[in-house]
């Protein structure tokens, strides 16, 4: 499963990319508002594109098909790796069909059901993003949507990639991987948690400690 970083923070993107931990980045208007400061959002997106060897999702804010199409064409000029995020609306799917015909990659965002995922795939989207955390927040079993979408896409040979979004904790990542999501987009805090386990730290402390004892003992033996 590919891992994308869900952020618009350049420092976080630089860190995760240099560490070789990520295959792409997703942004949205909220994340740009949080992290861009006074910098023009298109400049932030351009910089992210240069830092990452993989898809970078940038979202349109128009909500009519023509507006989304025009905005998407502008966003696509920011980098060769731009994927345009289009909201899951009837007009959005019209825009996705046109953009796909133009060879522009798309990510249909704000998907909350498997049939919305099916519609996005039929429109030719490159990715579709079911929002797991937001579904769990209202008492749904978010993983069911990923499971259903996986089955539907496999039944019909649909090539759209399922991008598990709105990830809140490492179990979301593990479960999305087990039910066959193609990608998970993860906030930096969760990505850091994926690296950690207390038994790893405890085990390493013991190995290093025992090695020091061994070295001290064998030195003594050599000297005596
Ligand atoms: C990514 O594509 C989504 O915009 C993001 O994962 C949404 O996450 P949130 O529900 O934590 O805002």
């Amino acid at each position: 499963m590919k891992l994308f970083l869900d952020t618009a923070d350049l420092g976080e993107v630089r860190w995760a990319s240099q560490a070789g931990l990520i295959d792409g980045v997703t942004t949205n208007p909220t994340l740009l508002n949080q992290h861009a400061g006074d910098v023009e959002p298109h400049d932030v997106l351009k910089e992210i594109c240069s830092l990452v060897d993989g898809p970078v999702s940038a979202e349109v804010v128009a909500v009519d098909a023509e507006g989304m199409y025009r905005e998407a064409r502008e966003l696509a000029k920011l980098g060769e790796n731009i994927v345009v995020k289009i909201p899951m609306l009837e007009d959005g799917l019209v825009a996705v069909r046109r953009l796909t015909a133009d060879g522009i990659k798309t990510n249909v965002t704000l998907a909350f059901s498997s049939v919305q995922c099916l519609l996005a795939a039929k429109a030719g989207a490159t990715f579709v993003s079911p929002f797991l955390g937001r579904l769990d927040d209202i008492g749904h079993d978010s993983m069911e949507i990923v499971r259903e979408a996986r089955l539907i896409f496999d039944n019909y040979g649909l090539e759209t990639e399922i991008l598990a979004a709105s990830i809140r904790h490492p179990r979301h990542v593990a479960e999305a991987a087990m039910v066959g999501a193609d990608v998970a987009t993860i906030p930096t805090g969760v990505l850091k948690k994926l690296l950690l386990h207390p038994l790893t730290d405890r085990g390493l402390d013991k190995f290093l400690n025992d090695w020091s004892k061994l070295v001290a003992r064998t030195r003594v033996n050599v000297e005596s």
Side-chain angles (χ1 to χ4, degrees):
M1 181 171 67
K2 285 173 270 189
L3 298 180
F4 292 175
L5 196 64
D6 199 20
T7 189
D9 181 302
L10 295 176
E12 293 175 4
V13 172
R14 201 172 287 116
W15 161 72
S17 182
Q18 284 173 358
L21 292 171
I22 54 167
D23 306 291
V25 168
T26 51
T27 68
N28 62 36
T30 303
L31 291 170
L32 281 162
N33 181 44
Q34 275 169 11
H35 298 291
D38 295 335
V39 183
E40 213 277 309
H42 281 193
D43 291 338
V44 175
L45 290 165
K46 255 193 229 168
E47 183 71 17
I48 294 175
C49 285
S50 73
L51 291 172
V52 182
D53 192 16
V56 174
S57 286
E59 188 160 343
V60 298
V61 288
V63 288
D64 64 292
E66 183 59 27
M68 283 190 250
Y69 175 76
R70 285 176 192 279
E71 203 183 330
R73 291 205 54 110
E74 288 309 307
L75 287 171
K77 291 178 189 160
L78 298 177
E80 283 184 356
N81 44 349
I82 283 281
V83 173
V84 183
K85 260 174 137 178
I86 305 276
M88 176 59 223
L89 301 170
E90 181 183 335
D91 274 47
L93 297 182
V94 172
V96 167
R97 283 182 201 284
R98 285 182 72 187
L99 292 163
T100 303
D102 291 353
I104 293 174
K105 292 187 174 162
T106 55
N107 172 1
V108 171
T109 188
L110 292 166
F112 292 94
S113 74
S114 56
V115 283
Q116 285 184 321
C117 294
L118 172 61
L119 291 178
K122 283 174 65 69
T126 316
F127 300 96
V128 62
S129 293
F131 275 36
L132 307 187
R134 293 192 196 185
L135 277 165
D136 289 342
D137 288 346
I138 58 162
H140 285 242
D141 173 7
S142 60
M143 222 44 74
E144 198 51 31
I145 283 151
V146 181
R147 209 175 282 118
E148 286 181 9
R150 177 75 283 148
L151 184 61
I152 293 167
F153 287 15
D154 290 349
N155 280 349
Y156 296 101
L158 296 166
E159 288 177 4
T160 299
E161 294 191 47
I162 300 170
L163 197 170
S166 188
I167 294 271
R168 299 277 161 79
H169 47 70
R171 279 311 296 170
H172 270 153
V173 181
E175 286 172 25
M178 286 190 288
V179 300
D182 298 286
V183 191
T185 189
I186 308 176
T188 305
V190 176
L191 181 61
K192 287 186 174 164
K193 283 185 189 163
L194 295 187
L195 291 163
L196 301 175
H197 197 287
L199 291 179
T200 305
D201 295 341
R202 207 187 302 168
L204 183 60
D205 282 349
K206 179 161 170 49
F207 285 151
L208 296 180
N209 198 23
D210 288 344
W211 183 254
S212 303
K213 287 183 200 160
L214 170 67
V215 168
R217 194 174 63 243
T218 50
R219 262 204 210 114
V220 171
N221 286 344
V222 169
E223 283 161 12
S224 59

mmCIF file of all heavy atoms in Angstrom, residues 6 26-28 30-31 57 59 85 107 109 129 131 133-134 163-168 185 187, ligand 1:
data_model
loop_
_atom_site.group_PDB
_atom_site.id
_atom_site.type_symbol
_atom_site.label_atom_id
_atom_site.label_comp_id
_atom_site.label_asym_id
_atom_site.label_seq_id
_atom_site.Cartn_x
_atom_site.Cartn_y
_atom_site.Cartn_z
ATOM 1 N N ASP A 6 -0.575 13.689 4.586
ATOM 2 C CA ASP A 6 -1.746 14.570 4.519
ATOM 3 C C ASP A 6 -1.393 15.877 5.221
ATOM 4 O O ASP A 6 -1.673 16.043 6.413
ATOM 5 C CB ASP A 6 -2.908 13.848 5.231
ATOM 6 C CG ASP A 6 -4.273 14.402 4.868
ATOM 7 O OD1 ASP A 6 -4.401 15.052 3.824
ATOM 8 O OD2 ASP A 6 -5.222 14.153 5.647
ATOM 9 N N THR A 26 -1.108 14.725 0.076
ATOM 10 C CA THR A 26 -2.437 15.289 -0.189
ATOM 11 C C THR A 26 -2.574 16.582 0.611
ATOM 12 O O THR A 26 -2.110 16.667 1.747
ATOM 13 C CB THR A 26 -3.573 14.326 0.221
ATOM 14 O OG1 THR A 26 -3.353 13.894 1.566
ATOM 15 C CG2 THR A 26 -3.660 13.128 -0.698
ATOM 16 N N THR A 27 -3.195 17.577 -0.021
ATOM 17 C CA THR A 27 -3.510 18.820 0.683
ATOM 18 C C THR A 27 -5.011 19.062 0.526
ATOM 19 O O THR A 27 -5.681 18.365 -0.239
ATOM 20 C CB THR A 27 -2.745 20.023 0.080
ATOM 21 O OG1 THR A 27 -3.254 20.278 -1.237
ATOM 22 C CG2 THR A 27 -1.250 19.757 0.007
ATOM 23 N N ASN A 28 -5.492 20.031 1.262
ATOM 24 C CA ASN A 28 -6.868 20.503 1.056
ATOM 25 C C ASN A 28 -6.902 21.962 1.510
ATOM 26 O O ASN A 28 -5.918 22.456 2.087
ATOM 27 C CB ASN A 28 -7.894 19.604 1.776
ATOM 28 C CG ASN A 28 -7.711 19.571 3.286
ATOM 29 O OD1 ASN A 28 -7.359 20.582 3.890
ATOM 30 N ND2 ASN A 28 -7.954 18.421 3.898
ATOM 31 N N THR A 30 -8.262 23.425 3.996
ATOM 32 C CA THR A 30 -8.066 23.568 5.445
ATOM 33 C C THR A 30 -6.592 23.456 5.800
ATOM 34 O O THR A 30 -6.051 24.257 6.573
ATOM 35 C CB THR A 30 -8.881 22.476 6.191
ATOM 36 O OG1 THR A 30 -10.256 22.609 5.816
ATOM 37 C CG2 THR A 30 -8.741 22.593 7.695
ATOM 38 N N LEU A 31 -5.917 22.466 5.219
ATOM 39 C CA LEU A 31 -4.488 22.268 5.518
ATOM 40 C C LEU A 31 -3.661 23.446 5.011
ATOM 41 O O LEU A 31 -2.718 23.881 5.676
ATOM 42 C CB LEU A 31 -3.995 20.956 4.891
ATOM 43 C CG LEU A 31 -4.566 19.674 5.522
ATOM 44 C CD1 LEU A 31 -4.218 18.449 4.673
ATOM 45 C CD2 LEU A 31 -4.039 19.494 6.944
ATOM 46 N N SER A 57 -1.792 16.036 -4.293
ATOM 47 C CA SER A 57 -3.187 16.441 -4.518
ATOM 48 C C SER A 57 -3.409 17.897 -4.118
ATOM 49 O O SER A 57 -3.034 18.300 -3.015
ATOM 50 C CB SER A 57 -4.144 15.561 -3.696
ATOM 51 O OG SER A 57 -4.265 14.286 -4.254
ATOM 52 N N GLU A 59 -6.589 20.878 -4.244
ATOM 53 C CA GLU A 59 -8.051 20.862 -4.380
ATOM 54 C C GLU A 59 -8.614 22.136 -5.020
ATOM 55 O O GLU A 59 -8.162 23.242 -4.708
ATOM 56 C CB GLU A 59 -8.651 20.669 -2.980
ATOM 57 C CG GLU A 59 -10.146 20.431 -2.973
ATOM 58 C CD GLU A 59 -10.618 19.772 -1.682
ATOM 59 O OE1 GLU A 59 -9.787 19.212 -0.933
ATOM 60 O OE2 GLU A 59 -11.824 19.820 -1.425
ATOM 61 N N LYS A 85 -7.820 17.573 -6.898
ATOM 62 C CA LYS A 85 -8.894 17.057 -6.044
ATOM 63 C C LYS A 85 -10.193 17.753 -6.406
ATOM 64 O O LYS A 85 -10.281 18.986 -6.424
ATOM 65 C CB LYS A 85 -8.583 17.377 -4.589
ATOM 66 C CG LYS A 85 -8.005 16.228 -3.821
ATOM 67 C CD LYS A 85 -7.618 16.715 -2.465
ATOM 68 C CE LYS A 85 -8.016 15.751 -1.402
ATOM 69 N NZ LYS A 85 -7.585 16.229 -0.076
ATOM 70 N N ASN A 107 -8.483 13.310 -8.142
ATOM 71 C CA ASN A 107 -8.736 12.617 -6.878
ATOM 72 C C ASN A 107 -10.113 13.094 -6.412
ATOM 73 O O ASN A 107 -10.264 14.251 -6.013
ATOM 74 C CB ASN A 107 -7.627 12.993 -5.880
ATOM 75 C CG ASN A 107 -7.889 12.489 -4.472
ATOM 76 O OD1 ASN A 107 -8.889 11.831 -4.204
ATOM 77 N ND2 ASN A 107 -6.975 12.817 -3.568
ATOM 78 N N THR A 109 -12.757 13.703 -3.932
ATOM 79 C CA THR A 109 -12.649 13.812 -2.482
ATOM 80 C C THR A 109 -14.032 13.932 -1.844
ATOM 81 O O THR A 109 -15.024 14.150 -2.534
ATOM 82 C CB THR A 109 -11.751 15.027 -2.130
ATOM 83 O OG1 THR A 109 -11.497 15.021 -0.728
ATOM 84 C CG2 THR A 109 -12.378 16.355 -2.518
ATOM 85 N N SER A 129 -11.286 9.249 -2.665
ATOM 86 C CA SER A 129 -10.905 9.341 -1.250
ATOM 87 C C SER A 129 -12.090 9.177 -0.315
ATOM 88 O O SER A 129 -12.797 10.154 -0.009
ATOM 89 C CB SER A 129 -10.264 10.709 -0.980
ATOM 90 O OG SER A 129 -9.041 10.827 -1.642
ATOM 91 N N PHE A 131 -13.489 9.132 3.314
ATOM 92 C CA PHE A 131 -13.018 9.803 4.540
ATOM 93 C C PHE A 131 -13.355 8.941 5.753
ATOM 94 O O PHE A 131 -14.487 8.977 6.260
ATOM 95 C CB PHE A 131 -13.695 11.170 4.671
ATOM 96 C CG PHE A 131 -13.014 12.279 3.914
ATOM 97 C CD1 PHE A 131 -12.413 12.068 2.687
ATOM 98 C CD2 PHE A 131 -12.977 13.569 4.448
ATOM 99 C CE1 PHE A 131 -11.780 13.104 1.997
ATOM 100 C CE2 PHE A 131 -12.359 14.608 3.776
ATOM 101 C CZ PHE A 131 -11.756 14.381 2.545
ATOM 102 N N GLY A 133 -12.093 8.751 9.127
ATOM 103 C CA GLY A 133 -12.273 9.342 10.459
ATOM 104 C C GLY A 133 -13.601 10.061 10.594
ATOM 105 O O GLY A 133 -14.289 9.940 11.611
ATOM 106 N N ARG A 134 -13.965 10.806 9.544
ATOM 107 C CA ARG A 134 -15.214 11.587 9.653
ATOM 108 C C ARG A 134 -16.429 10.667 9.717
ATOM 109 O O ARG A 134 -17.449 11.011 10.315
ATOM 110 C CB ARG A 134 -15.327 12.565 8.480
ATOM 111 C CG ARG A 134 -14.263 13.644 8.528
ATOM 112 C CD ARG A 134 -14.528 14.765 7.569
ATOM 113 N NE ARG A 134 -13.333 15.560 7.362
ATOM 114 C CZ ARG A 134 -13.272 16.666 6.648
ATOM 115 N NH1 ARG A 134 -14.368 17.125 6.056
ATOM 116 N NH2 ARG A 134 -12.139 17.326 6.500
ATOM 117 N N LEU A 163 -8.126 5.603 -2.044
ATOM 118 C CA LEU A 163 -7.201 6.381 -1.203
ATOM 119 C C LEU A 163 -7.883 6.629 0.147
ATOM 120 O O LEU A 163 -8.771 7.483 0.247
ATOM 121 C CB LEU A 163 -6.882 7.700 -1.931
ATOM 122 C CG LEU A 163 -5.683 8.530 -1.504
ATOM 123 C CD1 LEU A 163 -5.443 9.649 -2.517
ATOM 124 C CD2 LEU A 163 -5.800 9.096 -0.130
ATOM 125 N N ALA A 164 -7.517 5.852 1.143
ATOM 126 C CA ALA A 164 -8.136 5.997 2.466
ATOM 127 C C ALA A 164 -7.683 7.320 3.084
ATOM 128 O O ALA A 164 -6.486 7.538 3.296
ATOM 129 C CB ALA A 164 -7.726 4.832 3.361
ATOM 130 N N ALA A 165 -8.648 8.212 3.347
ATOM 131 C CA ALA A 165 -8.329 9.556 3.858
ATOM 132 C C ALA A 165 -8.990 9.758 5.216
ATOM 133 O O ALA A 165 -9.706 8.884 5.710
ATOM 134 C CB ALA A 165 -8.813 10.607 2.865
ATOM 135 N N SER A 166 -8.706 10.934 5.799
ATOM 136 C CA SER A 166 -9.231 11.246 7.133
ATOM 137 C C SER A 166 -8.811 10.150 8.118
ATOM 138 O O SER A 166 -9.616 9.644 8.891
ATOM 139 C CB SER A 166 -10.756 11.409 7.077
ATOM 140 O OG SER A 166 -11.280 11.883 8.290
ATOM 141 N N ILE A 167 -7.537 9.825 8.060
ATOM 142 C CA ILE A 167 -6.949 8.782 8.921
ATOM 143 C C ILE A 167 -6.627 9.413 10.271
ATOM 144 O O ILE A 167 -6.019 10.471 10.328
ATOM 145 C CB ILE A 167 -5.650 8.250 8.266
ATOM 146 C CG1 ILE A 167 -5.963 7.520 6.954
ATOM 147 C CG2 ILE A 167 -4.834 7.425 9.246
ATOM 148 C CD1 ILE A 167 -6.250 6.073 7.067
ATOM 149 N N ARG A 168 -7.027 8.737 11.349
ATOM 150 C CA ARG A 168 -6.845 9.336 12.680
ATOM 151 C C ARG A 168 -5.833 8.604 13.554
ATOM 152 O O ARG A 168 -5.362 9.144 14.532
ATOM 153 C CB ARG A 168 -8.186 9.355 13.424
ATOM 154 C CG ARG A 168 -9.262 10.157 12.734
ATOM 155 C CD ARG A 168 -9.139 11.653 13.053
ATOM 156 N NE ARG A 168 -9.862 12.458 12.087
ATOM 157 C CZ ARG A 168 -11.173 12.652 12.082
ATOM 158 N NH1 ARG A 168 -11.914 12.091 12.996
ATOM 159 N NH2 ARG A 168 -11.731 13.407 11.161
ATOM 160 N N THR A 185 -3.657 8.169 3.112
ATOM 161 C CA THR A 185 -3.024 9.472 3.328
ATOM 162 C C THR A 185 -3.098 9.795 4.807
ATOM 163 O O THR A 185 -4.168 9.730 5.420
ATOM 164 C CB THR A 185 -3.599 10.579 2.427
ATOM 165 O OG1 THR A 185 -2.752 11.731 2.590
ATOM 166 C CG2 THR A 185 -5.040 10.936 2.726
ATOM 167 N N PRO A 187 -1.816 11.955 8.405
ATOM 168 C CA PRO A 187 -1.214 13.149 9.011
ATOM 169 C C PRO A 187 0.149 12.792 9.611
ATOM 170 O O PRO A 187 0.386 11.637 9.979
ATOM 171 C CB PRO A 187 -2.202 13.534 10.126
ATOM 172 C CG PRO A 187 -3.404 12.677 9.956
ATOM 173 C CD PRO A 187 -3.033 11.512 9.107
HETATM 174 C C1 LIG B 1 -7.227 14.170 2.417
HETATM 175 O O1 LIG B 1 -7.256 14.006 1.245
HETATM 176 C C2 LIG B 1 -8.365 14.716 3.192
HETATM 177 O O2 LIG B 1 -8.634 16.006 2.817
HETATM 178 C C3 LIG B 1 -8.049 14.612 4.665
HETATM 179 O O3 LIG B 1 -7.542 13.319 4.937
HETATM 180 C C4 LIG B 1 -9.216 14.942 5.553
HETATM 181 O O4 LIG B 1 -8.883 14.646 6.882
HETATM 182 P P1 LIG B 1 -9.715 15.212 8.141
HETATM 183 O O5 LIG B 1 -11.029 14.532 8.172
HETATM 184 O O6 LIG B 1 -8.858 14.841 9.323
HETATM 185 O O7 LIG B 1 -9.833 16.688 7.937
#
